[in-house]
Amino acid sequence: MKIKYFILPLVLLLLAIPSCKTEVNYKGEITEPLLVVFADAVTNGFPKVTVSKSAFFLNKINREGTDTINYKPYLLADALVQYSVNNGEWISMTYDAKEESYLPDYKTASRLQPDDKLTVSVSHPDFPSTSASQLMPEKVDIDPVEVKVYDKINNKGDTFCEYHLTYHIYPSEDKTLVGRLSLQDSYLNDLPLMSNDILFQELNYDINNQNWREIIGTVFSFEEDELEDYREHLDFRMSEIPESGKDIVVVTRAPIAVVNDKVERKLKGVITNCYFYSAETYLYLNSMRKYKGTSTGMLGLEEKVQVYGNFSNGTIGCLTAKSYITYITMFKEE
Amino acid sequence: MLFTFSFLLLFGQRHTVNGYVSDASSGERLIGATVVDTVSGFGAVTNNSGFYSLTLPDGNVGLQCSYVGYAASQTRVFSLNSDTLVSFIISENTHLQEVTVVGHQSVSSPNSVQMSAIEVPVQQIKGIPALAGEVDVIKALQLLPGVQSGSEGSAGLYVRGGGPDENLIMLDGVPLYNVNHMMGFFSVFNADAVKNVTLYKGNFPARFGSRLSSVVDVRQNDGNRVGWHGNVSIGLISAKINAEGPIPWNKQQLEQLRRGEKIERNATTFNISARRTYFDLFTAPIVGIISRRETNGDLNLRAGYYFYDFNAKITHLFTDDDKLSLTVYAGDDDIYFRVNHEGESENKTDRKTNAKFAWHWGNLLTALNWEHRFSPRIFSNTQLSYTRYRYDLRQQMAVTSSQNAMSATMNEQMEYRSFVGDLMLQTNFNFAPSPKHEMRWGANYIFHQFRPQVSALNFKVNGNQNIIDDDFSNIVNVDTTLTDGTINAHEASVYIEDTYTPWRWLKLNLGLRGSLYSVSGKTYPSFEPRVGIRALAMKDLSIKASYAYMSQYIHLLSNSSVSLPTDLWVPVTKNIVPMRSMQVAGGVSYNLLGQVELSVEGYYKKMLNLIEYKDGASFMGSTTGWEEKVCMGEGWSYGVEFLAQRTIGKVTGWIGYTWSRAWRLFNREDQQINYGKPFPAKYDREHDLSITVQWAVNKLVDLNATFVYGTGNRATLGTQVYYDPNTESEVAYVPERNNYLMPDYHRLDIGATFHYPLRRHPDMQSVWNVSVYNVYNNMNPFLLYSEDNVMYKVTLFPILPSVSYTFKF
């Protein structure tokens, strides 16, 4: 039972009984917009940079019918965006209207390698120039060691299976990295799913005699009506992994079959994603998680969270660097 | 011969006058009364037992007694040549004609070395117009300079830039951990039970320790020694009863009482007060009626909230040398919710639901106190006490599903508890060896017990599980208890202090307190020097300065600015070290025409090892891993306070103004807040003005008014918003913590009290009190938020009239 689910409504109820709401004039400083840069880089991939500007909170343009910012008017397509690798020459990035981001020329650019020092620089006439740097994380070996699937658990006609996955995490020289394991049940009948995303070919692994294959690339992207069941992720620090490595066991359960649009789909397997984040990337992710966890906008009940950023000269945003590995475990049909 | 003469001069020509100061109408002994020898100029102050001791040279002596809110006594002139018992009985001055008073009135008067302390007469507290008509001791203290109240309606105390957990609030010398009812809108102190309230904001005497920012010393009435009295009152939200009087042991004592005489020996008195809110007694049945009517009897709901306080004190005076008293306080807040429902579930089974929810939190305090006078110069006070705060949240639910001949029952029980308690033994001595020295020393030992969190969970399903509803289909039988464990801590301290008057114009208070705190295998020692200096520039004008070093070994984990019962007290650990503070203060104190005490004080306070919660950290009643969720840093505050206080005459009250700033800095590695840069503390309010006036128009009518004005509270505001493509969401950019000042806060409260003595029994009277909180309906902000590019404020209390009736007997 979450105590906070009782407390917060109770407090709000007590406050609401005699309270009144009235409009009030803002008496602080009306601040100017700031440059906002988010750059994402994946080891063995290419950087992608989104440039926009912020808005004063009392005159932002909202999406129609909502109180949430419409980001499109604030995108900046005329910035000078470049990146360099290991202090080498600057490589220009051009604005892609479809992606709404700045991308390199894939034909000529080289993929980012582990331990590369990536520097992203952005200039715009309306804002001070800014830059940020990150070391690209290495891809840490994690071996799926064991999968155990336990008897179905009957409960009023629904059947479940519980499976335990054990991964062996190998040590890394970069102790600042943070790993994140997340699981995703797969109910889809046909694999591969989206051909432009899938880089693996192996299917139908035998549960008791797996032949794992490392997957490099993006994870599956499902349509919204596809069935997915994301589990909570598990974070671990590479500084806590000894030289002999460490086994991590993840336990989860899922229904044997689910029905969507009157079509029954059986559990096919589980997808394991393991990300490795740089220290600053993890700070950003953690601060954003806390930001989303605080209550909405009411000044005075909870402290507002300052989201982490690493761009210079007062620019909002973060250059995030990560690597990842994806494993697919397919359950053999009985 | 010369040596003998000198010896006689040194040791043989002084004696001690000692005694008690009591109230004429009730016989209550008065704390902090001043007894002065008008011949030599030396004086003494009564201790918490109303006892004073003054060693003077032999010869002519003229003793006069004065006390805040009372008329000075007649001067007693006599020749001192032996230890002499001289007790005073003085009368309250509230409804008398204007008088000219000589002598020294309050704890921080020009003659006293004490500064940064304010004593507020209980009569003044009762005269201040209050929220919903509930007279509140803590709310009265919030009107004093140097004290902030936090958010609107809150009972928190933020003293000279310190937090709400840095105040040692005591009832008869025993600490109370949570002094809030109803989320902090009211305090636990029933003014009918209170005799004396003193607030120390700095210059802490060595007998006080364990908190950084303030000491609030609340003393209960012993009980009327002359006759049986009391009152019954009913107000907007609560009803109260108070009764006090002597307990005669034999016919002789009974006859003395009938004659209106005070019993001097083997006298027992009692004082009992109780208070309870009552609106739940009406709302709970009404909620039940409405729920049954709206659902054709299917749903029966009963819900409500109340709080109560119970104070009791029994005192037995064996002789003037020995007094024994027992103090008890119990208070709780209670939220309850009961529902019975019958109906059909989604899978067409008949379902009956019985659910109970109960949440209560509160304090229990008990103290056994023995006062003993060893000699005219040595007085002791020994106390054994117990105090605890706990909250307990329970939920019970039973759901029975039935279909045809089959049935199944799901039982759920959840309990969530937390507890903090102290067992304390302390002893204190007063010793007046000479006119120039007044010494105190003492020791205490406290056994602390913390049980921050205990969760018990029990789920059980009986019967045919196939007909259990979908809602409970995933339930697995569980019977488990989770706990953070019990933490025991030991605290021991000793102190000594001496008020030394080398010359009449110079008075020094030198004190040293040593303490040890032991918890979880770790021991923290502390040595805390205390220094106070008073230089009398001229009669009734003095210049004062002080230094105090304080340590605090416990923290309050609290998630928000609203006081919640789930706020948890935890002790220091190996990683979270004790908080420390160092405060220097200087000022001038002047007694204007014997009527008004004026003081101007400046202070600077530095605080170390403060804890603040990391961004996004939430406690909400769980201490699991709390050390990982906090940052340690430092704070500092400074300011100037002005106070003009009048406690006698037909018009009483005070004007207090404070200019102050308070800052925080958290820049340790991995423990940064606000990017490691200094930021204003949450209740950093630069200007604060309070004016409170009570006018005794005549014996039948009192009028009162209070006006407060202050800089608005601080809040953290995201002034820019932006789009984060990683999360596809709008994010507020926060440039600095506590960067926004809410609109200034101001409010006027007025009240009137009408006394109607009964014709046949003039000592009985009906009293009506009418008051209006926030007379001109200023919409002070409690919360701010923005919506559709417009900023709104939520106001908690608009204009609020109230009325109460009291019958006094």
Side-chain angles (χ1 to χ4, degrees):
Chain A
M1 174 183 63
K2 303 280 186 185
I3 298 295
K4 62 181 176 184
Y5 297 143
F6 285 104
I7 294 171
L8 200 51
L10 178 67
V11 169
L12 292 173
L13 180 67
L14 279 173
L15 297 179
I17 291 169
S19 62
C20 314
K21 161 187 154 181
T22 48
E23 197 174 317
V24 64
N25 291 329
Y26 173 75
K27 288 191 176 173
E29 185 190 346
I30 298 178
T31 54
E32 292 296 314
L34 297 169
L35 185 64
V36 180
V37 180
F38 281 95
D40 188 39
V42 182
T43 303
N44 288 337
F46 303 95
K48 177 179 173 183
V49 181
T50 307
V51 182
S52 64
K53 61 182 178 181
S54 65
F56 184 64
F57 79 111
L58 289 179
N59 61 15
K60 62 186 168 87
I61 301 168
N62 289 327
R63 285 187 212 166
E64 196 171 325
T66 74
D67 191 31
T68 309
I69 193 170
N70 179 358
Y71 69 93
K72 288 187 190 290
Y74 298 101
L75 287 172
L76 296 173
D78 57 341
L80 174 63
V81 180
Q82 305 172 94
Y83 75 95
S84 80
V85 181
N86 296 322
N87 299 319
E89 60 179 52
W90 289 102
I91 304 165
S92 290
M93 302 176 80
T94 51
Y95 186 75
D96 185 310
K98 184 183 169 198
E99 293 290 322
E100 295 175 335
S101 300
Y102 291 81
L103 303 171
D105 184 352
Y106 293 125
K107 294 176 190 168
T108 57
S110 302
R111 290 178 182 271
L112 295 166
Q113 300 302 314
D115 294 327
D116 276 351
K117 180 185 173 188
L118 169 69
T119 303
V120 173
S121 164
V122 178
S123 300
H124 190 278
D126 296 340
F127 303 100
S129 297
T130 187
S131 66
S133 295
Q134 285 285 274
L135 283 178
M136 298 307 301
E138 62 173 318
K139 294 167 70 68
V140 179
D141 283 338
I142 80 167
D143 274 349
V145 174
E146 186 180 49
V147 172
K148 287 185 183 176
V149 182
Y150 288 88
D151 289 346
K152 299 164 189 178
I153 299 171
N154 289 316
N155 193 325
K156 203 181 174 278
D158 290 333
T159 53
F160 289 82
C161 80
E162 182 176 288
Y163 46 97
H164 299 195
L165 299 103
T166 305
Y167 300 92
H168 183 79
I169 313 287
Y170 288 91
S172 162
E173 285 186 9
D174 186 353
K175 300 297 183 189
T176 66
L177 295 181
V178 178
R180 173 169 288 180
L181 265 176
S182 65
L183 301 182
Q184 183 183 329
D185 301 317
S186 171
Y187 292 89
L188 297 164
N189 284 318
D190 299 311
L191 292 169
L193 303 163
M194 306 288 284
S195 59
N196 56 338
D197 292 326
I198 307 306
L199 296 176
F200 80 102
Q201 298 296 326
E202 302 291 337
L203 294 174
N204 294 330
Y205 288 96
D206 178 78
I207 291 171
N208 295 316
N209 184 23
Q210 309 95 332
N211 183 16
W212 293 96
R213 179 137 329 196
E214 181 180 297
I215 306 298
I216 301 168
T218 59
V219 296
F220 296 119
S221 57
F222 297 119
E223 298 291 342
E224 283 186 2
D225 60 354
E226 297 293 352
L227 292 163
E228 299 167 0
D229 192 5
Y230 286 95
R231 297 285 184 253
E232 294 285 343
H233 54 251
L234 170 71
D235 287 354
F236 57 92
R237 293 185 182 274
M238 295 310 294
S239 58
E240 295 165 2
I241 306 295
E243 288 308 312
S244 56
K246 185 175 180 179
D247 284 352
I248 291 178
V249 180
V250 179
V251 178
T252 187
R253 65 166 70 167
I256 288 292
V258 294
V259 176
N260 184 34
D261 288 336
K262 298 181 183 177
V263 175
E264 185 188 74
R265 300 190 183 194
K266 292 189 176 174
L267 178 66
K268 290 294 182 184
V270 61
I271 302 166
T272 305
N273 295 311
C274 190
Y275 292 88
F276 296 94
Y277 300 116
S278 67
E280 288 192 345
T281 302
Y282 189 68
L283 278 174
Y284 158 74
L285 290 173
N286 228 18
S287 63
M288 179 52 73
R289 177 184 60 80
K290 290 174 186 175
Y291 176 87
K292 288 172 122 178
T294 57
S295 57
T296 61
M298 282 204 177
L299 298 176
L301 273 186
E302 278 183 313
E303 282 297 339
K304 272 235 175 283
V305 173
Q306 292 167 310
V307 178
Y308 181 80
N310 59 8
F311 273 94
S312 59
N313 289 336
T315 299
I316 297 169
C318 196
L319 166 59
T320 52
K322 60 180 182 269
S323 64
Y324 75 92
I325 291 172
T326 297
Y327 294 102
I328 297 173
T329 308
M330 304 305 297
F331 298 143
K332 190 174 181 184
E333 289 199 28
E334 290 181 356
Chain B
M1 190 172 174
L2 189 64
F3 174 77
T4 305
F5 183 67
S6 303
F7 182 84
L8 287 172
L9 273 176
L10 196 58
F11 292 109
Q13 295 191 344
R14 58 182 67 153
H15 287 91
T16 302
V17 286
N18 69 109
Y20 295 92
V21 178
S22 307
D23 177 277
S25 61
S26 66
E28 285 277 353
R29 288 182 174 169
L30 301 175
I31 302 166
T34 306
V35 177
V36 174
D37 172 28
T38 55
V39 174
S40 64
F42 291 115
V45 175
T46 57
N47 62 13
N48 288 332
S49 308
F51 173 80
Y52 81 93
S53 175
L54 184 58
T55 301
L56 298 169
D58 281 1
N60 286 334
V61 167
L63 291 185
Q64 187 181 44
C65 174
S66 59
Y67 181 61
V68 60
Y70 283 63
S73 70
Q74 298 291 330
T75 304
R76 297 207 198 160
V77 180
F78 57 96
S79 178
L80 180 67
N81 49 31
S82 63
D83 290 341
T84 307
L85 183 67
V86 180
S87 289
F88 292 89
I89 299 173
I90 55 177
S91 302
E92 269 187 85
N93 194 43
T94 316
H95 293 281
L96 299 180
Q97 297 294 325
E98 297 281 354
V99 293
T100 300
V101 177
V102 296
H104 308 284
Q105 298 289 304
S106 75
V107 67
S108 54
S109 64
N111 193 50
S112 165
V113 70
Q114 179 68 55
M115 65 182 300
S116 305
I118 306 172
E119 190 175 345
V120 184
V122 176
Q123 281 305 112
Q124 269 194 333
I125 292 173
K126 288 182 177 179
I128 297 173
L131 179 64
E134 282 295 315
V135 170
D136 195 291
V137 168
I138 299 294
K139 293 276 172 53
L141 297 181
Q142 290 172 349
L143 298 174
L144 296 171
V147 183
Q148 306 283 359
S149 63
S151 51
E152 164 101 76
S154 161
L157 290 178
Y158 298 79
V159 182
R160 291 187 172 176
D165 60 335
E166 297 171 19
N167 308 306
L168 179 65
I169 302 178
M170 300 186 295
L171 180 64
D172 280 354
V174 185
L176 279 171
Y177 278 97
N178 188 322
V179 297
N180 299 310
H181 283 310
M182 208 170 165
M183 312 302 174
F185 293 128
F186 305 100
S187 77
V188 300
F189 297 107
N190 182 348
D192 286 341
V194 173
K195 173 161 67 176
N196 179 284
V197 181
T198 307
L199 167 70
Y200 297 86
K201 303 174 290 181
N203 187 206
F204 303 102
R207 59 189 179 273
F208 297 128
S210 304
R211 299 289 191 277
L212 296 192
S213 288
S214 83
V215 174
V216 179
D217 191 4
V218 180
R219 298 281 161 176
Q220 285 195 156
N221 289 315
D222 287 344
N224 197 309
R225 288 173 61 190
V226 180
W228 294 301
H229 295 280
N231 59 68
V232 178
S233 62
I234 185 160
L236 200 63
I237 67 166
S238 76
K240 293 188 275 191
I241 184 167
N242 168 256
E244 58 174 339
I247 301 175
W249 290 104
N250 50 48
K251 284 186 182 175
Q252 183 188 359
Q253 288 188 345
L254 194 56
E255 280 306 311
Q256 278 184 279
L257 288 174
R258 283 183 181 150
R259 291 195 297 268
E261 291 173 12
K262 189 169 67 178
I263 301 171
E264 296 291 351
R265 284 178 175 269
N266 289 320
T268 306
T269 57
F270 73 94
N271 188 301
I272 294 178
S273 300
R275 166 175 73 166
R276 189 199 191 278
T277 57
Y278 57 80
F279 47 72
D280 68 301
L281 299 176
F282 301 104
T283 58
I286 291 173
V287 165
I289 291 169
I290 293 172
S291 65
R292 286 194 296 276
R293 182 185 296 175
E294 293 298 314
T295 60
N296 292 322
D298 287 342
L299 177 70
N300 187 7
L301 177 66
R302 192 177 173 90
Y305 163 80
Y306 70 90
F307 69 79
Y308 77 88
D309 297 293
F310 175 76
N311 296 74
K313 189 168 182 179
I314 293 182
T315 305
H316 184 77
L317 188 71
F318 294 93
T319 64
D320 272 348
D321 292 339
D322 281 285
K323 187 171 99 172
L324 190 68
S325 63
L326 176 67
T327 299
V328 173
Y329 166 75
D332 259 356
D333 286 64
D334 207 317
I335 295 175
Y336 59 90
F337 178 89
R338 291 188 267 278
V339 63
N340 297 309
H341 179 262
E342 288 189 26
E344 194 177 77
S345 67
E346 285 183 1
N347 62 350
K348 307 299 178 191
T349 59
D350 295 326
R351 182 160 83 175
K352 282 185 191 174
T353 304
N354 293 303
K356 283 187 201 175
F357 172 85
W359 189 10
H360 44 259
W361 64 97
N363 298 284
L364 174 67
L365 178 156
T366 179
L368 185 65
N369 202 72
W370 174 47
E371 296 167 12
H372 179 67
R373 183 175 60 177
F374 290 90
S375 74
R377 300 183 188 184
I378 302 179
F379 184 94
S380 78
N381 183 346
T382 302
Q383 184 184 73
L384 177 66
S385 63
Y386 172 75
T387 180
R388 73 103 174 101
Y389 170 74
R390 65 97 179 84
Y391 74 80
D392 191 341
L393 192 155
R394 297 179 194 212
Q395 179 177 307
Q396 285 175 284
M397 188 158 64
V399 179
T400 302
S401 299
S402 56
Q403 192 175 54
N404 301 325
M406 297 184 295
S407 71
T409 302
M410 189 282 299
N411 285 297
E412 172 203 340
Q413 286 188 351
M414 285 191 275
E415 192 172 348
Y416 189 83
R417 303 190 295 270
S418 179
F419 168 96
V420 56
D422 292 348
L423 185 63
M424 178 166 73
L425 178 64
Q426 59 173 322
T427 186
N428 300 285
F429 289 84
N430 290 58
F431 175 48
S434 76
K436 296 188 177 183
H437 290 274
E438 187 181 341
M439 300 179 71
R440 293 184 191 228
W441 68 86
N444 76 12
Y445 166 75
I446 309 174
F447 173 72
H448 299 281
Q449 191 168 77
F450 300 86
R451 289 204 290 271
Q453 177 190 327
V454 177
S455 304
L457 184 62
N458 182 286
F459 279 135
K460 197 171 177 186
V461 177
N462 297 313
N464 192 325
Q465 297 196 10
N466 287 330
I467 62 167
I468 288 287
D469 295 333
D470 288 344
D471 293 341
F472 310 112
S473 57
N474 290 330
I475 286 177
V476 175
N477 288 349
V478 173
D479 186 0
T480 184
T481 299
L482 302 170
T483 175
D484 281 348
T486 299
I487 305 169
N488 294 325
H490 306 270
E491 182 179 354
S493 59
V494 295
Y495 74 90
I496 184 165
E497 61 177 277
D498 181 21
T499 302
Y500 173 46
T501 312
W503 302 283
R504 268 191 224 178
W505 63 271
L506 183 66
K507 192 178 270 192
L508 306 169
N509 179 277
L510 304 172
L512 182 65
R513 184 181 180 87
S515 62
L516 275 177
Y517 197 91
S518 177
V519 61
S520 302
K522 181 80 181 169
T523 300
Y524 292 101
S526 175
F527 296 99
E528 302 168 27
R530 313 280 172 88
V531 177
I533 301 171
R534 180 227 73 187
L536 205 59
M538 56 192 223
K539 186 176 180 289
D540 292 332
L541 173 67
S542 64
I543 300 167
K544 301 183 184 182
S546 68
Y547 170 82
Y549 183 92
M550 305 288 283
S551 296
Q552 181 167 335
Y553 303 106
I554 55 174
H555 304 280
L556 180 67
L557 301 184
S558 175
N559 205 62
S560 74
S561 57
V562 179
S563 169
L564 296 174
T566 50
D567 293 348
L568 293 169
W569 289 96
V570 290
V572 294
T573 68
K574 291 177 190 173
N575 303 312
I576 307 295
V577 299
M579 297 195 281
R580 314 277 187 197
S581 77
M582 291 145 282
Q583 185 180 158
V584 293
V588 174
S589 176
Y590 178 59
N591 191 299
L592 179 65
L593 303 174
Q595 305 254 348
V596 179
E597 290 205 3
L598 303 169
S599 67
V600 177
E601 259 185 55
Y603 69 89
Y604 177 83
K605 180 160 80 173
K606 177 85 174 177
M607 295 160 278
L608 301 174
N609 306 326
L610 298 180
I611 65 169
E612 188 85 42
Y613 316 115
K614 290 181 179 174
D615 285 345
S618 171
F619 292 101
M620 287 297 186
S622 170
T623 59
T624 305
W626 71 269
E627 294 177 59
E628 304 299 320
K629 297 182 184 178
V630 298
C631 307
M632 288 186 68
E634 59 188 75
W636 61 95
S637 63
Y638 47 85
V640 180
E641 298 165 5
F642 168 79
L643 176 68
Q645 183 182 25
R646 187 175 197 235
T647 60
I648 53 155
K650 299 185 84 173
V651 179
T652 57
W654 68 79
I655 300 172
Y657 169 74
T658 307
W659 174 88
S660 65
R661 297 303 310 272
W663 299 88
R664 297 289 185 264
L665 174 65
F666 290 80
N667 60 357
R668 300 187 192 185
E669 194 179 341
D670 291 338
Q671 296 185 44
Q672 290 193 354
I673 294 176
N674 198 51
Y675 311 112
K677 296 183 293 183
F679 60 93
K682 188 159 184 73
Y683 294 104
D684 169 45
R685 298 169 71 179
E686 194 170 348
H687 302 284
D688 188 69
L689 170 71
S690 299
I691 303 172
T692 182
V693 178
Q694 291 97 44
W695 177 25
V697 179
N698 51 44
K699 285 186 181 176
L700 301 179
V701 179
D702 300 325
L703 299 177
N704 44 67
T706 298
F707 176 72
V708 294
Y709 184 97
T711 310
N713 279 331
R714 288 191 170 273
T716 303
L717 179 64
T719 49
Q720 291 282 321
V721 292
Y722 62 93
Y723 178 74
D724 182 336
N726 294 319
T727 56
E728 296 179 346
S729 61
E730 176 184 308
V731 181
Y733 170 68
V734 176
E736 186 184 47
R737 200 180 255 219
N738 298 331
N739 58 326
Y740 184 71
L741 272 180
M742 294 203 201
D744 290 353
Y745 180 100
H746 53 94
R747 181 190 94 230
L748 173 68
D749 310 325
I750 57 174
T753 305
F754 304 95
H755 306 265
Y756 298 102
L758 285 135
R759 283 184 190 172
R760 290 187 185 178
H761 302 280
D763 55 336
M764 297 185 185
Q765 54 178 241
S766 291
V767 181
W768 286 92
N769 176 275
V770 178
S771 65
V772 182
Y773 182 91
N774 196 5
V775 167
Y776 55 86
N777 199 30
N778 186 43
M779 295 297 192
N780 291 303
F782 177 73
L783 293 173
L784 289 180
Y785 67 98
S786 64
E787 193 176 86
D788 291 333
N789 291 348
V790 177
M791 191 170 235
Y792 295 96
K793 65 180 176 184
V794 172
T795 296
L796 207 54
F797 300 119
I799 181 170
L800 268 181
S802 67
V803 62
S804 69
Y805 170 76
T806 302
F807 177 72
K808 291 187 178 179
F809 57 92

